[in-house]
Amino acid sequence: MKRPVSSLSLGSSLKGKLVRAGFQFTTDLQDLNPEHLSAEAGVSQQEALEALQAASSGHGVAPVTALELLQKEEEFRSIVTFCSQLDEALGGGVPVGKVTEICGAPGVGKTQLCLQLAVDVQVPAVFGGLGGQVLFVDTEGGFQVQRLVDLAGAAVRHCSLLAEDEEQRVAMTTFTVETILSNVFLVRCRDYVELLAELHLLADFLSNRPRLRLLVIDSVAFPFLRLHDDLSQRTRLLQGLGLRLIAAATGHNIAVVTTNHMTTRLHSSQAQLAPALGDVWGHAPSIRLLLRWEESRRLASIVKSPGHMDASVQYQITYQGFRDADQSERPPSKRPRSQTDQSASSRKNTGT
Amino acid sequence: MVALLVGMCPGLDEGLLRSLRAADIRTVEDLVSSDIEDLAQKCSVSYKALFAVRRVLLAQHTAFPVSGADLYEELLSSTAILSTGNPSLDKLLDSGLYTGEITELTGGPGSGKSQVCFGVAVHIAYHLKQSVIYIDTTGGLTAGRLLQMLQTETNNRDEQMEALQRIHTFRLFDVCALLDCLYGLSGGGGGGLHMACVGGGSVKALIVDSVSAVIAPLLGGKQNEGMSLMRQVAAALKTMAKDFSVAVLVTNHVTRSGSGEAQPGLGVSWSHVPTTRILLERVESGASGRRSATLIKSSRQACLIKEDFDLQWWSRAEGGRGGGGGGETSGKRKLDETDP
């Protein structure tokens, strides 16, 4: 099957000149040297060389069989959330190599879960973690270092209780609150331009830091909520953003976690809460977790996933972080109310 | 527009070519559409020679009509119908995916498009023992899920591995890579396709999940290449389907029309490309795996017929089939409960 010249990845004016000169297929461009081509088509030598290179190369990558893909997948661990029910529903935790989205009403615990994951990704490999670094992109200003210190301290205590053999004790010397904090790279983006610019530079950043295993964007909705006067531009930007995140996740084997807000959608004259940014963004994440309130309980549901069943589990947010819900039916006001426990104070504001 | 080159036909030598170029005749179209007498005088070439060249070029570049009977014979001998594995979907598709045609699945997020693609790939690889090419642009391809689906078909580990080896995957995230891949597969007289069917069986299905993820960001705004690239992808898929007798299955996203109705994405230009289109939607009530499929474009059946089906059909237990696919949750095992 002959490949048309207009399908090559060259500039559109160059392609136009080639087609007008009669070179319709790449087979026409074979066996030509650059001088000849530049004379025929009226393009510069540089452009002619570029065109010839594009025509002769570019036969795509080799396929990977599903068996090889399975073997590669089994090598990669997931990031635990420390809520064992949620980890079980997710088949181990938040998977590496995919984009996961956490959506929920304000105050339900999205930033808390992101902070928990930022700590959990650093758990050393001997304890079943990934021992990786994390890039935290904060667009809302919800990142609080003091809370991260609390979560890190709780995780270190948890692991030191689990340390049994020599290897694990050695690993504990490198797993301290200070090292946890030093492995979190924080970027503060104030609007969508800064967010897109940061993601443009992501590829370089990732290649310089091979230990990076998690990218958190909290939240992806906030910078785009202000773009309501040019919705088509917003759609295009979001689609491009989604594609870039997926490429980064699969190409560099990192887990990408984004948070999203909720908005109201009218569905057969009934108002329902739905994740913001619309269906356009809904196609980008592979896995979607919905955090919501049900009376006084907090529930996490998997609403979209290629590999897991839809499930709902209960969780709670304690001083130590994101944890399983207590089995006993204690009312949530019994939770220790320290000033760093933002979730307890914002709990009063949620209505769903 | 085909360029005039030396040796294209007997009589078209360097000298003639140079004089034609001087008269600003560069392509076959220019030669065929110009006045031969005039041209013969301008280039000081014999009228007869030029006329002979023109006749040969016309014969070389004309399309020849085929009679309807011949076309029907060819269709009967080369078309195959591949079942999707789910009887409700097969009913909508008039017994399955037809080779030589493009079928499109469209639906909102979480409506089950990728799951149907997995199910189709597993069914074709295991039951029909043919190779499948799966191009993933969404990052949602999970080999663990394919294995889960296979594990409910058979407990034999070797057979599962064999079926997995028949599914060839590509992960691409931009349209140029997609075009490179498609032309690479079809180039050299299907050389790429033959290389892909090492595990026995020829390639009978090509699944692209999803085609809108790579094309939609290019459409609209001040970008003028988007439509052209979309047409390139459509042409590549159609030629592959026809020339190599494969069934092409693509997925598409949905957009909301003015009244809030879901309609397939990529606009009217793309709507002419697939032969059959199915819209998947979540069923509000009922078990979590239930989806409804509506036929919105078909050349063989009445449109807007609807079928409810269960996404868990492809992972049902052997003896656990209830009416119409059932809502059995026991058939579907979680990823962490794999057999030792």
Side-chain angles (χ1 to χ4, degrees), chain A residues 3 6 64 66-67 73 250 306, chain B residues 115 143 161 167 169 173 180 232:
Chain A
R3 181 171 183 176
S6 35
V64 175
L67 187 60
E73 267 178 30
T250 32
Chain B
Q115 292 296 303
M161 296 299 124
I167 304 177
T169 66
F173 303 107
D180 283 346
Q232 301 283 345

Side-chain angles (χ1 to χ4, degrees), chain B residues 63-74:
Chain B
F64 288 97
V66 180
S67 82
D70 289 339
L71 198 60
Y72 185 59
E73 283 300 321
E74 195 194 312

Side-chain angles (χ1 to χ4, degrees), chain B residues 238-254:
Chain B
K238 275 197 160 166
T239 337
M240 272 190 80
K242 273 265 164 325
D243 288 351
F244 302 112
S245 268
V246 293
V248 177
L249 179 65
V250 298
T251 58
N252 195 357
H253 67 284
V254 290

Side-chain angles (χ1 to χ4, degrees), chain B residues 210-250:
Chain B
S210 75
V211 76
S212 58
V214 283
I215 296 180
L218 303 170
L219 298 173
K222 298 206 188 73
Q223 301 166 110
N224 39 21
E225 281 235 297
M227 296 290 275
S228 155
L229 287 167
M230 184 166 84
R231 260 181 274 123
Q232 301 283 345
V233 172
L237 287 174
K238 275 197 160 166
T239 337
M240 272 190 80
K242 273 265 164 325
D243 288 351
F244 302 112
S245 268
V246 293
V248 177
L249 179 65
V250 298

Side-chain angles (χ1 to χ4, degrees), chain B residues 5-337:
Chain B
L5 297 169
V6 176
M8 220 174 197
C9 73
L12 193 61
D13 53 10
E14 266 294 337
L16 181 57
L17 202 62
R18 237 177 296 128
S19 29
L20 284 174
R21 291 272 169 78
D24 208 19
I25 304 282
R26 292 183 172 276
T27 64
V28 172
E29 284 85 345
D30 292 338
L31 178 60
V32 158
S33 53
S34 53
D35 189 8
I36 296 293
E37 275 188 37
D38 228 8
L39 204 54
Q41 272 179 347
K42 236 194 285 182
C43 307
S44 52
V45 185
S46 91
Y47 176 79
K48 270 200 180 147
L50 210 53
F51 192 76
V53 165
R54 182 173 179 267
R55 205 167 49 179
V56 173
L57 284 177
L58 267 179
Q60 273 182 351
H61 291 94
T62 324
F64 288 97
V66 180
S67 82
D70 289 339
L71 198 60
Y72 185 59
E73 283 300 321
E74 195 194 312
L75 214 63
L76 278 183
S77 60
S78 63
T79 311
I81 306 180
L82 306 169
S83 159
T84 57
N86 184 318
S88 323
L89 269 185
D90 282 347
K91 222 192 296 181
L92 271 191
L93 288 170
D94 195 19
S95 68
L97 299 170
Y98 280 63
T99 58
E101 291 185 1
I102 302 183
T103 312
E104 180 183 274
L105 283 175
T106 175
S111 55
K113 309 183 291 292
S114 301
Q115 292 296 303
V116 172
C117 291
F118 291 165
V120 168
V122 160
H123 183 84
I124 295 178
Y126 178 71
H127 283 282
L128 306 179
K129 304 234 181 317
Q130 304 290 339
S131 295
V132 177
I133 297 190
Y134 196 109
I135 300 182
D136 179 36
T137 63
T138 57
L141 179 60
T142 319
R145 178 75 183 117
L146 295 174
L147 182 65
Q148 243 185 6
M149 288 177 164
L150 277 171
Q151 279 168 343
T152 53
E153 303 279 353
T154 171
N155 281 323
N156 185 335
R157 184 103 182 141
D158 291 328
E159 280 179 28
Q160 292 166 1
M161 296 299 124
E162 212 186 296
L164 281 182
Q165 277 180 322
R166 289 197 201 105
I167 304 177
H168 303 268
T169 66
F170 290 89
R171 286 175 134 165
L172 314 162
F173 303 107
D174 78 277
V175 70
C176 295
L178 177 62
L179 284 168
D180 283 346
C181 175
L182 289 174
Y183 282 111
L185 282 174
S186 57
L193 280 180
H194 288 306
M195 280 193 295
C197 57
V198 174
S202 51
V203 174
K204 274 282 167 250
L206 169 67
I207 304 179
V208 183
D209 177 21
S210 75
V211 76
S212 58
V214 283
I215 296 180
L218 303 170
L219 298 173
K222 298 206 188 73
Q223 301 166 110
N224 39 21
E225 281 235 297
M227 296 290 275
S228 155
L229 287 167
M230 184 166 84
R231 260 181 274 123
Q232 301 283 345
V233 172
L237 287 174
K238 275 197 160 166
T239 337
M240 272 190 80
K242 273 265 164 325
D243 288 351
F244 302 112
S245 268
V246 293
V248 177
L249 179 65
V250 298
T251 58
N252 195 357
H253 67 284
V254 290
T255 53
R256 301 273 151 190
S257 70
S259 53
E261 284 296 309
Q263 62 187 23
L266 293 181
V268 182
S269 323
W270 179 264
S271 67
H272 300 293
V273 174
T275 325
T276 316
R277 292 181 121 183
I278 293 185
L279 176 70
L280 293 176
E281 282 165 321
R282 289 196 127 150
V283 171
E284 289 305 321
S285 54
S288 66
R290 295 212 74 84
R291 299 289 185 270
S292 86
T294 316
L295 189 65
I296 50 181
K297 176 183 178 186
S298 168
S299 48
R300 278 183 287 269
Q301 298 203 83
C303 276
L304 300 179
I305 49 180
K306 213 166 172 163
E307 282 284 333
D308 277 354
F309 69 103
D310 198 335
L311 277 186
Q312 293 170 23
W313 174 263
W314 283 284
S315 38
R316 69 204 180 282
E318 265 310 309
R321 274 177 252 179
E328 296 271 331
T329 48
S330 54
K332 182 155 178 175
R333 298 193 295 219
K334 294 200 204 121
L335 273 174
D336 50 3
E337 287 173 25

